[in-house]
Amino acid sequence: MSHVLILGGDGYLGWPTAMYFSARGFQVTVVDNYFRRNACVELNISMLYQVGTLVERAQIWRDKTGLEIKVVIADLSIPDSMRQLFDGRVRYSWAVDPSFSGIPAAVIHYAEQPSAPYSVMGYKYADITLINNLRVTNNLIWAVRDFARDTHIVKIGTMGEYGTPNIDIEEGWLEIEHKGRKDTFLFPRQASSLYHTTKIMDTDLLWFGVRTWDLKVTDLMQGPVYGIETEESKLDERLRTIFNYDEIFGTIINRFITQAVIGYPLTVYGAGGQTRGYINIIDTMQCIYQSTINPPDCRNLRIFNQITETFTANQLAELVCKVGRARGHDVSIKNVPNPRRESESHYYNPSYQGLRQIGLKPHLLNDEILHNFFDIVEHHKAAIRKDVIFSGIKW
Amino acid sequence: MSHVLILGGDGYLGWPTAMYFSARGFQVTVVDNYFRRNACVELNISMLYQVGTLVERAQIWRDKTGLEIKVVIADLSIPDSMRQLFDGRVRYSWAVDPSFSGIPAAVIHYAEQPSAPYSVMGYKYADITLINNLRVTNNLIWAVRDFARDTHIVKIGTMGEYGTPNIDIEEGWLEIEHKGRKDTFLFPRQASSLYHTTKIMDTDLLWFGVRTWDLKVTDLMQGPVYGIETEESKLDERLRTIFNYDEIFGTIINRFITQAVIGYPLTVYGAGGQTRGYINIIDTMQCIYQSTINPPDCRNLRIFNQITETFTANQLAELVCKVGRARGHDVSIKNVPNPRRESESHYYNPSYQGLRQIGLKPHLLNDEILHNFFDIVEHHKAAIRKDVIFSGIKW
């Protein structure tokens, strides 16, 4: 049975990914230090509903399916915590079988501080973001270099690495002709937050590791994800992933639906012409899975753009508004002064064919998906705190 | 009197830069944590001659010139140590006038771990390099953002950021045409060590700071520097800069001359066709000075390629061999298996006109310069340790 190690296994994508692989016959180990939960407590942010610890959810998963997801609670920014996962010294916080699961065939790396606003709230948060994200990635590269050269690293990147260039965005690479000579380079990257800039640096680090030590890496340039439920969480609602609806950790569609449910005007930044690529959480599961079971050759940094469609902020607000009103909510849209430094109207033409070619079957945003999403959020309406939705963090 | 803050003021370039600015009427503050000296002690590496502490050299400078260079001993990877330099809380380890010198007009940032072999010796050294270099740069950006938006950041980068692309290397930027549309981006970067990769990341961070907070930055892509003496160190040999001749911290020309003096064959890696841009330490002083007194506008990341000529490794070995033999040394050249993963024969055509346009008058490598250099190294011949020259650190 193939072993998959999931770094950041408590996160919005980490835990659903763990169940997805476990359900498909993989031996799974999740690792997290509860960074995100602790940050939410520190910043007085609540989530939509309470979520059990990794150990609690692994136990529920075991009860419901008979399958084991091993749990490690560790700070992977410390080199030795990472190395223990590869050399067998690791001690599980929970496991049915406490013996070492062995070198993983793939490592899925989500273990980063994922919020753009958090990364620019002030120098302390910038420092935390930079150090956490880069140390974890570097520690992973060195552990794979030293112990597991055949292990495939599957890394979550972000479409935000590219920014909004005035040329078509290719999947990771660009052939450049200059003064009659040619070479192929990483597609130019310029991000609009410190968080997104750390992801550019991750790509730099991974590309160095690939060129120098023949590592095998897939870097997934993902757009903002939306949704709650995955096939596996339907087994028991206690298996659901964490869900943030605040300005710091909540992604735009998740936030808009929550705002619609409590009659808080949908906050569009500036003119609302910002175009981005989006993806449903159930499609993220497919992308990660297909990337893992179809690895690249070694000495390859394979890059996919992990989105299924593009929208402007205005279009998303209108979609949520329409469905929200149909369900009887008092939904309005409010353009607020843009707290970010970004173009509010720009060219945007990304390519995103690669993941379809290896098996992704996209679920595009539609009314039915939004209605199902509203069902869950409405169920938790009483717990929604208006005060955490908009805090006006400026860049 | 304009105030210049020099981060990494104990380093090979930091201390000569401090004297250079002090001699030209600037108020100078140097900051260092003796990282390089401590690393040399840890790794059993000696320098060519003993060098006094920053405080000792600042006192000698004062005695000889009447000028004050204030000294701060601090670890700038700690955010608060950086911030104290801007908000006035700093305490000087040595100063004639202990009152705060105020917000600097320019910060010259050398405070990084500068060795490629050190950065890949193992995971601990990789972690130290990554964290030190990126935290210091990020802390500087935030201090300037928060306290000193008019301060000009002059940052030492490296030509190694570009690697050896198959197209001409421009000065930092490249206009790209793709599918009939155009945009201008940072010139593509792909470095051949982890150290050099951290410098790519520095550039990413600075470019983010410029776009987001209108910072004023000059990023200098420097090639390997050679030399010992500068105009100011001629006042008293106790003012000389630190000089490494080992494989880890010694740059190639400095190393070759030392090897020639003790009859240690000049170690050329592989075929020796590796071409790089080089610069004399006295020209580095000019480049830093001209960049500082001719600042760019705000919201500008100005990039210069800081080299004066290019050589292959074979050409450098032959130049040193010729002059060494003329002085009676038993010099030979030995091609050793390349410990690095790099091209030993490649296209290399960098542009480097910008610094001449703002006032650099280059001193190109010639026999006279090499003879003067040999004079100093021969004087310290008895102290040279053969065992530190080549340790075979592999990539």
Side-chain angles (χ1 to χ4, degrees):
Chain A
M1 190 169 50
S2 200
H3 177 211
V4 170
L5 183 61
I6 300 174
L7 312 181
D10 189 53
Y12 175 54
L13 302 177
W15 174 249
T17 303
M19 293 190 293
Y20 196 91
F21 277 85
S22 180
R24 282 158 184 78
F26 284 77
Q27 171 62 49
V28 177
T29 303
V30 292
V31 190
D32 212 295
N33 64 341
Y34 295 126
F35 174 93
R36 166 80 157 271
R37 294 182 192 233
N38 294 338
C40 287
V41 172
E42 179 198 336
L43 300 173
N44 183 34
I45 291 168
S46 17
M47 297 186 188
L48 188 62
Y49 43 80
Q50 271 212 314
V51 173
T53 62
L54 271 176
V55 172
E56 285 177 84
R57 288 190 290 179
Q59 287 169 338
I60 294 165
W61 180 249
R62 171 78 176 177
D63 290 344
K64 295 286 171 181
T65 65
L67 298 166
E68 178 200 45
I69 295 175
K70 294 186 182 188
V71 177
V72 178
I73 303 306
D75 178 356
L76 297 172
S77 72
I78 299 166
D80 202 54
S81 300
M82 183 69 80
R83 299 175 78 79
Q84 294 188 359
L85 299 169
F86 290 84
D87 67 10
R89 285 177 297 136
V90 61
R91 289 290 162 265
Y92 300 105
S93 291
W94 185 82
V96 179
D97 170 5
S99 67
F100 180 49
S101 291
I103 297 282
V107 181
I108 298 167
H109 173 19
Y110 292 121
E112 304 215 351
Q113 190 298 99
S115 162
Y118 182 98
S119 73
V120 294
M121 286 195 310
Y123 74 93
K124 286 183 192 173
Y125 300 99
D127 185 57
I128 290 169
T129 302
L130 184 77
I131 295 318
N132 181 75
N133 294 5
L134 292 176
R135 278 190 99 183
V136 174
T137 302
N138 189 54
N139 289 341
L140 173 60
I141 289 170
W142 279 85
V144 170
R145 172 198 183 275
D146 291 343
F147 301 116
R149 297 259 177 137
D150 292 331
T151 294
H152 176 201
I153 298 173
V154 180
K155 171 76 175 67
I156 275 286
T158 162
M159 286 297 290
E161 293 185 33
Y162 302 125
T164 53
N166 195 41
I167 61 173
D168 289 1
I169 298 173
E170 306 301 336
E171 296 204 65
W173 300 92
L174 185 64
E175 184 180 272
I176 293 175
E177 183 169 349
H178 178 55
K179 296 183 179 169
R181 301 180 62 88
K182 283 184 187 175
D183 203 347
T184 299
F185 300 96
L186 283 172
F187 191 92
R189 283 156 161 81
Q190 50 185 11
S192 66
S193 83
L194 184 66
Y195 153 69
H196 290 96
T197 302
T198 65
K199 307 292 269 194
I200 295 177
M201 299 177 182
D202 283 340
T203 301
D204 290 336
L205 276 180
L206 291 165
W207 178 214
F208 171 67
V210 167
R211 294 198 311 284
T212 309
W213 300 306
D214 298 334
L215 306 188
K216 186 164 41 173
V217 178
T218 300
D219 200 359
L220 298 165
M221 305 294 116
Q222 189 174 243
V225 184
Y226 59 88
I228 294 181
E229 204 79 279
T230 60
E231 207 178 316
E232 292 71 32
S233 72
K234 288 177 183 163
L235 281 179
D236 187 314
E237 68 176 33
R238 293 171 300 164
L239 293 172
R240 281 185 186 154
T241 190
I242 56 172
F243 184 90
N244 280 100
Y245 56 87
D246 58 281
E247 186 194 11
I248 296 176
F249 291 112
T251 51
I252 184 167
I253 301 176
N254 293 358
R255 203 154 31 91
F256 277 178
I257 289 176
T258 312
Q259 289 176 233
V261 166
I262 57 165
Y264 191 108
L266 308 188
T267 38
V268 171
Y269 296 163
Q274 301 92 324
T275 308
R276 300 287 185 271
Y278 294 87
I279 186 167
N280 190 316
I281 192 169
I282 62 177
D283 289 347
T284 292
M285 298 301 110
Q286 286 189 70
C287 292
I288 297 289
Y289 187 73
Q290 293 297 336
S291 295
T292 303
I293 64 172
N294 298 293
D297 299 329
C298 70
R299 198 166 167 77
N300 190 356
L301 172 62
R302 178 176 63 170
I303 301 176
F304 292 125
N305 292 344
Q306 188 161 310
I307 58 178
T308 58
E309 55 194 326
T310 64
F311 296 103
T312 65
N314 286 328
Q315 286 170 330
L316 291 178
E318 282 154 22
L319 281 170
V320 172
C321 193
K322 188 187 69 172
V323 174
R325 284 179 180 165
R327 298 175 70 91
H329 296 295
D330 177 22
V331 191
S332 62
I333 298 173
K334 189 177 170 192
N335 290 73
V336 299
N338 196 339
R340 307 182 176 197
R341 186 173 277 205
E342 61 184 8
S343 298
E344 294 170 14
S345 167
H346 55 87
Y347 183 74
Y348 201 68
N349 189 26
S351 172
Y352 45 94
Q353 298 307 311
L355 284 161
R356 288 175 207 228
Q357 283 161 14
I358 63 166
L360 166 66
K361 309 266 181 262
H363 295 76
L364 301 182
L365 190 61
N366 61 26
D367 287 4
E368 188 194 344
I369 286 173
L370 284 170
H371 276 292
N372 290 339
F373 200 165
F374 265 101
D375 281 341
I376 301 176
V377 177
E378 287 166 2
H379 183 71
H380 296 284
K381 182 176 176 177
I384 300 168
R385 284 172 54 195
K386 278 193 184 177
D387 63 309
V388 307
I389 288 173
F390 187 74
S391 43
I393 294 163
K394 280 192 184 159
W395 262 236
Chain B
M1 190 168 52
S2 200
H3 177 211
V4 170
L5 183 61
I6 299 174
L7 312 182
D10 188 52
Y12 174 56
L13 301 176
W15 174 250
T17 303
M19 294 190 293
Y20 196 92
F21 277 85
S22 180
R24 283 157 184 79
F26 285 77
Q27 170 63 50
V28 177
T29 304
V30 291
V31 191
D32 212 296
N33 64 342
Y34 295 126
F35 174 92
R36 166 81 155 270
R37 295 183 192 233
N38 295 337
C40 287
V41 172
E42 180 198 335
L43 300 173
N44 183 33
I45 292 168
S46 20
M47 297 185 188
L48 187 62
Y49 43 81
Q50 269 212 316
V51 173
T53 63
L54 272 175
V55 171
E56 285 177 84
R57 289 189 290 179
Q59 288 170 339
I60 295 165
W61 180 248
R62 172 76 175 178
D63 290 345
K64 297 283 170 183
T65 65
L67 298 166
E68 177 200 46
I69 293 175
K70 295 188 183 187
V71 177
V72 178
I73 303 305
D75 178 358
L76 296 172
S77 72
I78 298 165
D80 203 54
S81 299
M82 182 70 79
R83 298 175 78 80
Q84 293 188 1
L85 300 169
F86 290 84
D87 67 10
R89 285 177 296 134
V90 62
R91 290 290 162 266
Y92 300 106
S93 290
W94 185 82
V96 179
D97 170 7
S99 68
F100 180 50
S101 291
I103 296 280
V107 181
I108 298 167
H109 173 19
Y110 293 121
E112 304 215 351
Q113 190 298 98
S115 161
Y118 182 99
S119 73
V120 293
M121 286 195 310
Y123 74 94
K124 286 184 191 171
Y125 300 99
D127 185 58
I128 290 169
T129 302
L130 184 78
I131 294 319
N132 181 75
N133 293 5
L134 292 175
R135 279 189 97 183
V136 173
T137 302
N138 189 53
N139 289 341
L140 173 61
I141 289 170
W142 279 84
V144 169
R145 172 198 183 275
D146 291 342
F147 301 115
R149 297 258 178 139
D150 292 331
T151 293
H152 176 200
I153 298 174
V154 180
K155 169 77 175 68
I156 275 286
T158 163
M159 286 297 289
E161 293 185 32
Y162 302 125
T164 53
N166 194 41
I167 62 174
D168 288 3
I169 299 172
E170 305 301 335
E171 295 205 66
W173 300 93
L174 185 65
E175 186 181 90
I176 293 175
E177 182 169 347
H178 178 56
K179 295 182 179 170
R181 301 180 62 88
K182 283 183 188 176
D183 204 345
T184 299
F185 300 96
L186 283 172
F187 191 92
R189 282 156 162 79
Q190 49 185 13
S192 66
S193 83
L194 184 67
Y195 153 70
H196 291 96
T197 302
T198 65
K199 307 293 270 194
I200 295 178
M201 300 177 183
D202 284 340
T203 301
D204 290 336
L205 276 178
L206 291 164
W207 176 215
F208 171 68
V210 167
R211 295 198 311 283
T212 309
W213 300 307
D214 298 335
L215 306 188
K216 188 165 36 174
V217 178
T218 300
D219 201 358
L220 298 165
M221 304 294 116
Q222 188 174 243
V225 184
Y226 60 88
I228 293 182
E229 203 81 280
T230 61
E231 208 178 315
E232 291 72 31
S233 72
K234 289 178 184 161
L235 281 179
D236 187 313
E237 69 177 34
R238 293 172 301 164
L239 293 172
R240 282 187 186 152
T241 190
I242 57 173
F243 184 90
N244 280 98
Y245 57 86
D246 58 281
E247 184 193 12
I248 295 176
F249 291 113
T251 50
I252 184 166
I253 301 176
N254 293 359
R255 205 152 30 90
F256 276 178
I257 289 176
T258 311
Q259 290 176 231
V261 166
I262 58 165
Y264 191 109
L266 308 188
T267 37
V268 170
Y269 296 163
Q274 301 92 325
T275 308
R276 301 287 185 271
Y278 293 88
I279 186 167
N280 191 315
I281 192 169
I282 63 179
D283 289 348
T284 292
M285 297 301 110
Q286 287 188 70
C287 292
I288 297 289
Y289 187 73
Q290 292 298 336
S291 296
T292 303
I293 64 173
N294 299 293
D297 300 328
C298 71
R299 198 167 167 73
N300 191 355
L301 172 62
R302 179 177 62 170
I303 301 176
F304 292 125
N305 292 345
Q306 187 162 309
I307 58 179
T308 58
E309 55 194 326
T310 63
F311 295 104
T312 64
N314 284 329
Q315 286 171 330
L316 291 178
E318 281 154 22
L319 281 169
V320 172
C321 192
K322 187 187 69 172
V323 174
R325 285 181 179 166
R327 298 175 71 90
H329 297 293
D330 176 23
V331 191
S332 62
I333 298 173
K334 188 177 169 193
N335 290 73
V336 299
N338 196 339
R340 308 183 174 197
R341 187 174 278 205
E342 62 184 7
S343 298
E344 294 169 15
S345 166
H346 55 86
Y347 184 74
Y348 200 68
N349 189 25
S351 173
Y352 44 96
Q353 298 307 311
L355 284 161
R356 289 173 205 228
Q357 283 161 14
I358 63 167
L360 166 66
K361 309 266 182 261
H363 295 74
L364 301 183
L365 189 60
N366 61 27
D367 286 3
E368 187 193 344
I369 286 174
L370 284 172
H371 276 293
N372 291 338
F373 200 165
F374 265 100
D375 280 342
I376 301 176
V377 177
E378 286 165 4
H379 184 72
H380 296 284
K381 181 176 175 178
I384 299 169
R385 283 173 55 196
K386 278 193 185 178
D387 63 310
V388 308
I389 287 174
F390 186 73
S391 43
I393 293 164
K394 280 193 183 158
W395 262 238

